[in-house]
Amino acid sequence: MSASTHRALFVLLSAGAVAMTAGCTAVVSGAEGAGSSAAMSGGGSGGSSTTSSEHIPPFAPSEPALPRLTTAQYKNVIRDLFGPSIQVPELEPDQRLYSFSIIGAATTTLSEHGVELYSQAAFAIAKAVFSDSALRQTIVGCAPSTPLDDACLSQYLTSFGLRAWRRPLEPSELERYKALATSVGLGEPWLALEHVTAAILQSPYFLYRVELGEADPEKPGWYRYLGHEMAARLSFLLRNSSPDSELLAAAERGELSNKAGVVAQATRLLAEALPTEAMMSALYSEYLDLPLLDEVKFPEAMDPAQTLAESMQREVLDIVNRIALRQSADMRTLFTTPSVASNRDLASLYGLPPSTAVELSPAQLAADAPRAGLLTTGALLTLNNRPNRTSPTIRGLFIRQRLLCGTVPPPPPGIPPIKEADSGVPQTIREKLEQHRSNPACAACHKSMDPLGLGMEDFDQYGRFRSSYDGGQPVDAAGDLDGVTFVGAKQLGALLAQDPRVMSCLVKQLYRYGSARLEADSEAAVLKGLDDAFAAGGYQLRPLLLELVGSDGFRFTVQGAP
Amino acid sequence: MISRRRMLRGMLRGSAVGLGLPLFEAMLNDNGTALAAGAALPVRYGLFFWGNGLPWTYRHRGSTDTVSPGIEHPLEDSLTDLYTPLTTGKGFAVTEILQPLERHLANINVVTGLEPKTAIPESPVGQSDGHMRGISVALTADQIRPEGFDHDPHIFAVSRATLDQVIAKHPQFYSDGAPQYRSLELGMSKAVLHDFGTWNSVSHNGPNSINPPIRDAQKLFEQLFSVKPDLPEVARRTSVLDVVAEDTRQLGARLGKRDRQRLDEHLTHISEIERRLNVTRAACVTPAAPASVVDGEVSVLERLDVMADILVAALRCDVTRVFTVAFTTGASLMQMNGAGEINGTGAHQLHDACHGGERDVITAFTKLNLTAYAKLLDKLTADQDVNGQTLLDNSVIMGTSEYGEGFTHSNKEHPFIFAGKAGGKLDTGWHVREEGGNMARAHLTVLRSLGIDAPSYGFNGGEATEPLPFLVA
C-alpha cells in the first residue's frame, strides 16, 4: 500500500504535459546506440558502453561499500541461523535506490527508530530462541553448567559468532562478550547466553556487511577482500543470505583469495537449482518493480479470483528463471520467447484455452499472436501506466532507464497540462502527446521516451491486446527506437533483443546489485570485459555471474578515504 | 463512561481527583509561571505537513503579479483565489480553504506570499523542480541537494537536517535534559509516491538520513507507552548496549570517512536508546490503548484522530517536545473526487489531478488537509498543560506544504499556517502578507520563539534575519 504502479514519474507529468522551457539540453541516447552524453553527474550512471572506439581507462578499484542487511537478507539470515520457527519483528523499511534496496542499504544512514527496531528485534529473537529448550540446545551446542562454565560459553561464542558475523571473533571480542555474560550473571546460564546472543544480533558486525579487505602485496594500492569477506560477498550475491559452512570452510582454507577458488565456490552455489532461482526472483522483482503490481486494481471481470497481480509476477519470474537457469538459454530470447506460463488468471489475457489451474504451466503463443517475450507479459504491460489509461511516456521511460540504461533529465518547472483540442472529439493519447513533439522544449527529452511507449499502444493499461480504443478510434501502435521504426510491443521486443545496449545494461545492473553501489568511471574496463565475455558466451547468465564474481571489480577494493 | 477530556475539565474545577499528576505539576513554582527549580516551562515544536500546496489561482488577492507569468491558464476567468484572506493583520475572515480552521482563528497566524530565496545552480539540471525545491526549502531553509537529481528518481532531496531535527538536537532547546524521545515522527496517509526518501518522510537528519514516520497507531502506542522491562532486565540490556556501542566505536575507527559518519550516527542512536532505557518518565496518565483503525486511505482522518490522542499524551507526559505529522506527503497519490470523497466515484489520483487541472479535486484535498490540521489543534487545545494553559499555548506548530500552487508546481505563494503561542513568545490571530518574502523567515521565527539564539537562518541565498511580525519582542 505504498508507491503505486504509476509512481514512475511525477516528472513525466500527467496527461502528458508540455514543457515550457528547455530542461533537456543534453539529449539522451543517439540512434546508433552509442554512449549517450548523459546529463547527470556522479556515479557514472550515463549511457551504454557498447562502442569499442572510445578510450577505456585501466581498471582501478573503488572504495568498499558498507551495506546493512536488507530486510530480505535479515530474514534469510535469521532463518539460516535459527530455523523457520523464529519470527522477525518489524524493521526499518528498506530504501530502494537505483532499483535495488541493497544500494539503499549501503547509502543511507539508519534512523534512531531504525536502530531501536534492530535492538528490539535482537532481544525478541534471542528471547524466542532461548525460550525453546530444544532449539536453544541445538543452537548452543554444549550443555552449560550452573554457573555458566567458560568452556561452553567460549565454544558458543566461537561457533555462533562465526556464523552470525561471517568471520571468527577476535580474541578481544571474545573477552568482551564473555565479560558481558558475566555482567548479566553466570548464575543463570541460559539468561546469560540469551543476552550474549541479543548483543551479537545487534552488533554492527551483524547488521552491516563489513568487507574492508587488506593490502594486496602484489598490487600496490589495491586491497583484496579477506577470505571470509569474499565468502560473504559471494553468499549475499548468490544466496541473499550469509555464507554456508562450506563457504566458511573454503575461506578458512584460504581458497577465496584467488580467482579460481572464488569461481569454484560460485559454481557450486549456482549448481543448486532452487536457491539460485530464489536469488534470481528476488533480483528481478526489484529490477522490474514487480511488487508494484500489488497496487493495481484490475477490472473485476479480468480478475475474479483477485490473484491476477500475483500470477503476473510469478509468470515473469518463471520465464526469467527458465531462460536464465533451467534452459541456460541466450538471455536475449527473454524478449522474443513465445513460451509463456499461464494459469486460470492469465489464459484469457493471452488468448489461450480457459484454465482452472492455480499453478502456472508452460504455454506456447502462436507465431502470429501479438505477443512474444517479456515486454508483452501482463506484468510489464500493466506496470508503468496511469490509473485509468496507458502512459506511453512512463512505459518509454522504463525501457529507456531500466532496459537501455539511458538517462532522462528531470523536467523544468512551470508545466501546465496538455490542452484538449476544442473540437469536442476525444483525442487519442498519441494526439495528446503530439504536443511533446511539436514543442521543441519538450521534444528534447520526450523523444527518448514517448516513441517507445507509443509503440506499445496495442496493449491497454491492464495488458489486454486492442486494435481500437473505447471511443472507437483505431489504435496506431507505430513506434520508434532511436531511429528504427516498429509497430507494436512485440516488434519492440524483437528490436530490444538485437540491441547491444540491452545486454550491456543487464551487465551493469547485475554489477550494481553485486557491488551494492553504482559503478565508478574507473570500473568501465571491468564492465567492458563482462560485456565481451557475456557476448562471447552466447549471453548465458550463469557464465556471466561467474565472470562477475571472478572479476577484479568484485574481488578488489581500496582503503576508504580518511 | 467519562472521557478523559471531561475528567480533565472536571479536574480544572477541582472536582475530580485520582488521576496521576500531569507533567511537572508538582514541580511548578507557586505562581505556576516556571518550574520550581527556575527552568522555563517546556515549549514544544511541531510540524504539520501536507502535500500539493494550494489550488492554483490566476492572481492573488492583493497581488498585481500573475502567479505563473507567461503561462496561459485555461480556466483563467474562474481562477479566483480561494485561500488568501481578504484583509491583513488581526481580525481577518476565513476563506473557503481556511474554513476548516475557523474555530482556531485566534490560535493561528496565516502567512501568505513567502517563497524560497535559495540559489538555483544551473548544473546539474533540475534543481528548480517545484516539488524538491519546495519541500527542501520549507523543511530546511536550504537549497536541494544537487546530486539528489542523479538518484533514480531523485529521492533524497534535502542537503541538511530539517528544522525539527535542528531543534531536537539544539543544546538551547533541551537545555534541561532531553526527555525520552528527542522527537517523534508520525505519518497518516500511506498513498505516497515512493515508500522511501523525501516522498515518504519529512524529517531528515541530513543527506541520505531520514526518520521514517510511524503510521500505525498501535505501534506508536507500544513504542511510547508499553510497559518497560523490569529493573534487572534494564540493567542487562544496558550491559548489552554497552558492548554493542564498543563494537560500533571500534568498527567506525576502521572505516573511511563516508561510512564512519554513518557509524557515528548509529553510535549516537545506541546511546540515545540506552539513555531512554534508563530515563524514568514523569508520573502521568498513560493513555488507553488505541482503538483499531481500518487500514486504508478512507480512514486517514480517523487515523489522525487516534494517533493525535497518543501524541498529545506523549507531549503532556513530556515523552517528547518535538514532533512532525506528515498528514499527506509530497506528490500524494491519494485518490479523491471533486466532492472530497477519498476513493469516491470518479476519484482522481491527486498528483495527476493537479497536473491535469482538476481544481475542484485539489480544493477538496487541501480542505481535507486543513480539516486534519484543525483536528490536531482541537486536541492540543482540549488538553491542559502544567500551568493551566492549553498545550497549544505552550507550543508552536508550523503548518506548511510542498509548494505554492500545484497546477504549475510553483514555489511562489508557499503556504504557512502557524499555530500556538510558544509560551507567550508568539502573538496569534494574524494574517501576514509578505509577497515575495523570504521563506526562511518562518524558520527563524520558530527558532527564536523556542528561545534559540539565531541571528539568522537560511542558507545559500536564503538567509533571513527578520522574524515574522507576530514574534513578541
Side-chain angles (χ1 to χ4, degrees):
Chain A
M1 168 86 227
S2 50
S4 84
T5 47
H6 25 270
R7 93 265 159 254
L9 263 214
F10 72 93
V11 291
L12 290 173
L13 317 176
S14 62
V18 181
M20 294 304 290
T21 52
C24 254
T25 46
V27 173
V28 197
S29 309
E32 301 79 30
S36 80
S37 57
M40 300 301 158
S41 68
S45 62
S48 61
S49 56
T50 52
T51 46
S52 50
S53 56
E54 61 191 284
H55 173 71
I56 298 179
F59 170 76
S62 291
E63 279 199 26
L66 183 80
R68 69 168 165 118
L69 303 185
T70 63
T71 303
Q73 289 172 347
Y74 187 101
K75 287 180 174 169
N76 289 345
V77 168
I78 293 297
R79 177 206 61 202
D80 291 350
L81 287 174
F82 302 116
S85 69
I86 300 300
Q87 299 295 309
V88 172
E90 186 200 16
L91 303 173
E92 180 153 294
D94 291 332
Q95 306 283 306
R96 210 152 63 93
L97 270 181
Y98 295 102
S99 308
F100 297 120
S101 49
I102 189 67
I103 298 182
T107 307
T108 61
T109 302
L110 278 166
S111 73
E112 183 184 314
H113 187 53
V115 173
E116 185 151 40
L117 288 174
Y118 272 139
S119 180
Q120 289 169 348
F123 284 118
I125 289 168
K127 190 174 183 61
V129 169
F130 283 85
S131 303
D132 180 331
S133 55
L135 181 58
R136 72 186 184 191
Q137 193 59 63
T138 311
I139 298 298
V140 172
C142 50
S145 58
T146 306
L148 179 56
D149 54 300
D150 188 71
C152 186
L153 176 60
S154 296
Q155 184 197 313
Y156 175 62
L157 285 173
T158 303
S159 64
F160 182 74
L162 172 65
R163 294 172 66 215
W165 287 3
R166 288 91 62 179
R167 63 165 175 85
L169 268 61
E170 302 283 338
S172 66
E173 290 164 343
L174 263 178
E175 288 314 308
R176 184 151 70 245
Y177 278 76
K178 280 188 192 176
L180 172 61
T182 306
S183 135
V184 169
L186 301 177
E188 293 182 82
W190 290 116
L191 197 64
L193 290 168
E194 175 188 325
H195 284 77
V196 162
T197 306
I200 289 174
L201 294 180
Q202 59 189 290
S203 168
Y205 293 115
F206 175 77
L207 299 176
Y208 294 87
R209 285 167 50 194
V210 181
E211 296 157 7
L212 302 177
E214 61 182 355
D216 187 330
E218 292 166 18
K219 296 185 167 73
W222 288 28
Y223 273 49
R224 65 177 177 209
Y225 291 109
L226 304 174
H228 285 97
E229 293 172 347
M230 187 53 73
R233 289 176 67 74
L234 277 177
S235 186
F236 280 106
L237 172 62
L238 300 177
R239 284 292 173 275
N240 221 20
S241 188
S242 44
D244 62 11
S245 51
E246 282 195 54
L247 264 172
L248 292 174
E252 197 62 41
R253 291 191 299 267
E255 292 171 9
L256 300 181
S257 58
N258 62 73
K259 181 174 176 174
V262 170
V263 171
Q265 282 298 318
T267 305
R268 172 181 71 82
L269 293 171
L270 286 171
E272 294 173 14
L274 285 181
T276 304
E277 288 199 18
M279 176 277 283
M280 281 293 285
S281 295
L283 167 63
Y284 262 84
S285 286
E286 287 201 332
Y287 178 29
L288 300 178
D289 288 340
L290 295 182
L292 297 183
L293 278 168
D294 294 337
E295 317 295 325
V296 178
K297 190 159 171 44
F298 291 96
E300 189 140 353
M302 273 187 86
D303 190 16
Q306 302 283 297
T307 50
L308 180 55
E310 186 200 331
S311 293
M312 283 181 171
Q313 295 179 57
R314 282 168 43 216
E315 188 217 356
V316 166
L317 298 176
D318 186 78
I319 294 174
V320 168
N321 278 315
R322 173 173 59 80
I323 288 179
L325 300 173
R326 295 200 294 274
Q327 297 178 341
S328 294
D330 185 325
M331 287 297 278
R332 294 175 300 178
T333 60
L334 266 181
F335 295 96
T336 55
T337 178
S339 303
V340 295
S342 182
N343 66 358
R344 61 173 183 187
D345 299 320
L346 295 164
S348 76
L349 184 68
Y350 291 165
L352 296 165
S355 161
T356 55
V358 175
E359 286 308 308
L360 293 167
S361 57
Q364 286 296 117
L365 297 171
D368 60 352
R371 296 173 197 264
L374 210 55
L375 225 49
T376 59
T377 55
L380 265 74
L381 288 166
T382 302
L383 289 166
N384 308 308
N385 289 306
R386 293 287 172 187
N388 305 316
R389 62 163 174 82
T390 58
S391 172
T393 305
I394 301 179
R395 279 177 167 178
L397 178 79
F398 180 84
I399 291 169
R400 181 65 65 186
Q401 285 190 323
R402 295 290 167 88
L403 303 181
L404 293 165
C405 287
T407 54
V408 181
I415 299 167
I418 274 186
K419 283 185 283 189
E420 295 279 340
D422 293 333
S423 64
V425 179
Q427 288 179 297
T428 63
I429 188 68
R430 178 180 296 271
E431 288 162 341
K432 288 180 182 171
L433 295 184
E434 177 58 27
Q435 292 173 62
H436 284 166
R437 278 182 29 189
S438 54
N439 183 335
C442 307
C445 294
H446 277 274
K447 77 175 188 186
S448 72
M449 302 175 283
D450 295 5
L452 299 174
L454 285 169
M456 301 170 76
E457 274 296 289
D458 50 343
F459 292 92
D460 73 8
Q461 71 271 28
Y462 303 117
R464 294 178 294 199
F465 179 73
R466 64 185 175 185
S467 52
S468 64
Y469 292 104
D470 290 343
Q473 311 100 312
V475 165
D476 174 1
D480 182 323
L481 173 62
D482 300 326
V484 184
T485 58
F486 64 91
V487 179
K490 182 180 179 178
Q491 282 190 16
L492 176 56
L495 286 181
L496 292 178
Q498 296 305 314
D499 192 320
R501 288 176 297 181
V502 175
M503 288 297 106
S504 183
C505 182
L506 175 58
V507 167
K508 187 180 281 187
Q509 302 280 9
L510 284 171
Y511 191 78
R512 291 175 175 181
Y513 182 79
S515 311
R517 56 174 171 76
L518 293 191
E519 68 285 357
D521 291 343
S522 65
E523 292 174 289
V526 161
L527 284 166
K528 177 74 167 65
L530 293 174
D531 279 355
D532 293 346
F534 198 23
Y539 294 109
Q540 290 179 40
L541 192 82
R542 269 200 202 83
L544 172 64
L545 287 171
L546 294 178
E547 288 289 334
L548 171 64
V549 300
S551 73
D552 286 352
F554 193 78
R555 295 190 301 118
F556 293 96
T557 184
V558 291
Q559 194 169 22
Chain B
M1 194 173 123
I2 301 172
S3 74
R4 185 165 51 86
R5 205 166 133 185
R6 273 195 64 189
M7 287 187 74
L8 282 167
R9 282 195 190 130
M11 194 164 68
L12 255 175
R13 292 195 300 269
S15 60
V17 287
L19 285 177
L21 287 176
L23 158 76
F24 296 137
E25 192 161 291
M27 301 181 232
L28 282 180
N29 67 11
D30 291 342
N31 300 327
T33 53
L35 298 183
L41 284 170
V43 179
R44 292 80 168 185
Y45 169 69
L47 171 77
F48 180 87
F49 187 89
W50 75 92
N52 209 53
L54 297 169
W56 46 97
T57 182
Y58 176 62
R59 178 172 292 150
H60 277 274
R61 287 178 182 137
S63 167
T64 54
D65 194 16
T66 54
V67 169
S68 310
I71 292 179
E72 186 189 345
H73 280 288
L75 305 167
E76 192 170 310
D77 293 341
S78 60
L79 292 177
T80 44
D81 185 340
L82 301 176
Y83 176 73
T84 312
L86 283 167
T87 61
T88 57
K90 286 212 171 193
F92 66 92
V94 290
T95 53
E96 179 177 342
I97 302 270
L98 286 168
Q99 191 275 328
L101 285 161
E102 185 166 22
R103 62 182 178 277
H104 288 296
L105 276 192
N107 294 321
I108 66 174
N109 292 307
V110 176
V111 183
T112 63
L114 298 181
E115 61 188 49
K117 295 296 182 188
T118 53
I120 306 175
E122 278 184 18
S123 174
V125 295
Q127 296 187 58
S128 59
D129 174 87
H131 294 275
M132 318 288 281
R133 180 161 159 79
I135 292 172
S136 291
V137 183
L139 297 177
T140 70
D142 198 357
Q143 64 192 31
I144 67 166
R145 199 178 147 195
E147 67 268 40
F149 280 87
D150 194 31
H151 283 171
D152 167 31
H154 29 280
I155 61 167
F156 286 89
V158 306
S159 51
R160 67 173 60 244
T162 50
L163 189 64
D164 57 298
Q165 293 306 309
V166 169
I167 293 165
K169 289 162 189 161
H170 201 287
Q172 286 181 301
F173 184 71
Y174 284 129
S175 55
D176 53 342
Q180 277 186 297
Y181 289 85
R182 286 180 180 272
S183 67
L184 288 179
E185 290 78 35
L186 314 183
M188 304 301 153
S189 169
K190 299 181 187 177
V192 296
L193 181 75
H194 295 279
D195 54 5
F196 42 72
T198 312
W199 307 109
N200 185 43
S201 176
V202 296
S203 177
H204 296 235
N205 308 302
N208 287 335
S209 181
I210 65 169
N211 298 308
I214 299 177
R215 288 198 169 90
D216 182 299
Q218 192 63 42
K219 282 177 186 155
L220 177 67
F221 177 79
E222 282 167 15
Q223 190 72 31
L224 300 182
F225 293 109
S226 62
V227 179
K228 286 194 4 172
D230 60 21
L231 280 178
E233 178 65 6
V234 165
R236 289 191 287 266
R237 291 190 175 197
T238 302
S239 302
V240 166
L241 288 167
D242 283 342
V243 167
V244 172
E246 184 56 30
D247 285 351
T248 310
R249 260 188 296 274
Q250 294 195 1
L251 173 58
R254 295 168 56 208
L255 299 175
K257 184 181 175 203
R258 182 196 58 203
D259 289 326
R260 188 172 63 245
Q261 286 172 343
R262 293 170 70 211
L263 259 278
D264 284 350
E265 275 196 55
H266 192 126
L267 183 61
T268 305
H269 297 333
I270 291 172
S271 53
E272 274 291 294
I273 292 162
E274 189 166 342
R275 183 184 68 78
R276 176 149 64 241
L277 197 57
N278 290 279
V279 163
T280 46
R281 196 164 52 223
C284 76
V285 184
T286 300
S292 64
V293 178
V294 180
D295 204 23
E297 288 304 290
V298 288
S299 330
V300 68
L301 268 181
E302 201 185 330
R303 193 171 306 124
L304 175 93
D305 194 42
V306 171
M307 290 178 81
D309 277 339
I310 303 170
L311 172 65
V312 164
L315 293 173
R316 203 164 54 84
C317 297
D318 205 32
V319 171
T320 190
R321 296 176 196 172
V322 175
F323 63 90
T324 58
V325 173
F327 184 69
T328 54
T329 48
S332 171
L333 297 185
M334 191 184 274
Q335 310 241 356
M336 181 177 281
N337 62 18
E341 295 162 341
I342 299 167
N343 296 344
T345 309
H348 293 257
Q349 179 204 96
L350 252 296
H351 186 239
D352 245 12
C354 178
H355 278 298
E358 309 286 346
R359 195 161 176 260
D360 56 340
V361 174
I362 302 304
T363 301
F365 176 73
T366 313
K367 286 176 78 171
L368 170 76
N369 280 280
L370 296 191
T371 300
Y373 194 9
K375 207 181 236 300
L376 176 65
L377 298 184
D378 289 347
K379 308 262 183 197
L380 291 166
T381 47
D383 227 321
Q384 184 201 11
D385 204 1
V386 285
N387 58 354
Q389 296 179 329
T390 69
L391 274 179
L392 185 61
D393 287 336
N394 292 331
S395 304
V396 51
I397 319 289
M398 185 170 88
T400 191
S401 186
E402 79 179 298
Y403 39 49
E405 288 159 318
F407 184 41
T408 55
H409 292 22
S410 164
N411 293 122
K412 287 177 179 288
E413 300 287 343
H414 196 113
F416 282 89
I417 304 173
F418 294 87
K421 295 187 194 313
K425 293 284 182 60
L426 296 177
D427 193 18
T428 51
W430 294 55
H431 168 215
V432 174
R433 177 140 187 89
E434 293 281 351
E435 192 182 343
N438 184 349
M439 198 194 269
R441 293 180 67 185
H443 310 90
L444 182 68
T445 304
V446 166
L447 289 170
R448 291 210 189 153
S449 75
L450 295 170
I452 294 172
D453 296 329
S456 80
Y457 203 70
F459 308 88
N460 288 306
E463 294 82 355
T465 53
E466 196 180 339
L468 292 162
F470 44 84
L471 180 74
V472 176

